[in-house]
Amino acid sequence: LRAIGTCRDITEQRKLEQDRSRLVHDLGERVKELNALHLAADLLRELDRPLAEMLGGIANILPPAMQHPHLAAARVVYGDSIHATANWRESTAELRSEFRTLNGVSGVLQVVYLGSAPAEAERPFLAEERKLVDSLAEMLRATIDRRDAESVMHELQ
């Protein structure tokens, strides 16, 4: 009795499968971030929307856009106004973006992880998540400045 066997190196195939899996994961993360930007643009487009609603809306948009949304909480502070997700609490795993409007009022967008998450570019946060939070802070600052300018123009008429 004689057995004939073949041996095939699947190292390259495994690497390709890992690369594909990572690309699919990364694409899913970018889709969440784009969705957050779209939701924020819709929210901030209506300048007559109450500011508190805008701030609270931005806070609620942030956690689902994170890589680990089940661990995420967010808060938006603008002057004396604070709006946070229901699960908000301070954490050492924090991503924040500060801004200042033309009227001199400071604000900050904060996202925290409330549990352990794997290390990424910015501790447990992805580099793209940093860009998202910075972009949302800039969008919010620009909207507040525009609202203020339009209010002054309306008063002058």
Side-chain angles (χ1 to χ4, degrees):
L1 184 63
R2 197 168 168 202
I4 300 176
T6 60
C7 184
R8 196 172 107 202
D9 185 0
I10 60 169
T11 304
E12 184 65 26
Q13 182 179 347
R14 281 191 181 163
K15 183 178 179 338
L16 289 172
E17 287 174 7
Q18 289 173 343
D19 290 348
R20 180 187 169 281
S21 179
R22 183 63 184 179
L23 286 171
V24 168
H25 171 268
D26 290 351
L27 179 61
E29 293 306 309
R30 297 309 76 78
V31 167
K32 291 192 304 188
E33 293 154 10
L34 286 171
N35 187 50
L37 287 170
H38 175 74
L39 291 171
D42 281 350
L43 180 69
L44 300 175
R45 181 181 13 241
E46 298 175 36
L47 295 180
D48 58 341
R49 184 184 301 268
L51 183 60
E53 189 178 323
M54 285 183 176
L55 299 174
I58 295 294
N60 288 318
I61 285 169
L62 282 166
M66 298 295 110
Q67 181 173 213
H68 306 288
H70 60 287
L71 299 175
R75 177 169 75 171
V76 178
V77 178
Y78 178 66
D80 296 332
S81 187
I82 300 172
H83 300 271
T85 55
N87 63 339
W88 171 261
R89 69 177 189 269
E90 297 287 336
S91 171
T92 57
E94 178 188 54
L95 189 60
R96 66 187 290 131
S97 186
E98 298 178 11
F99 64 95
R100 181 178 297 274
T101 55
L102 290 174
N103 63 12
V105 179
S106 295
V108 63
L109 272 65
Q110 298 169 276
V111 181
V112 295
Y113 277 147
L114 302 175
S116 181
E120 293 289 351
E122 292 206 25
R123 296 176 288 155
F125 296 99
L126 300 170
E128 293 83 2
E129 290 170 336
R130 154 61 61 205
K131 293 175 187 173
L132 173 66
V133 171
D134 287 348
S135 294
L136 290 176
E138 176 57 23
M139 289 170 66
L140 183 56
R141 184 213 49 83
T143 299
I144 293 170
D145 284 344
R146 183 172 170 208
R147 285 170 55 112
D148 290 349
E150 289 191 8
S151 177
V152 168
M153 286 178 57
H154 182 71
E155 289 174 12
L156 294 174
Q157 292 176 350

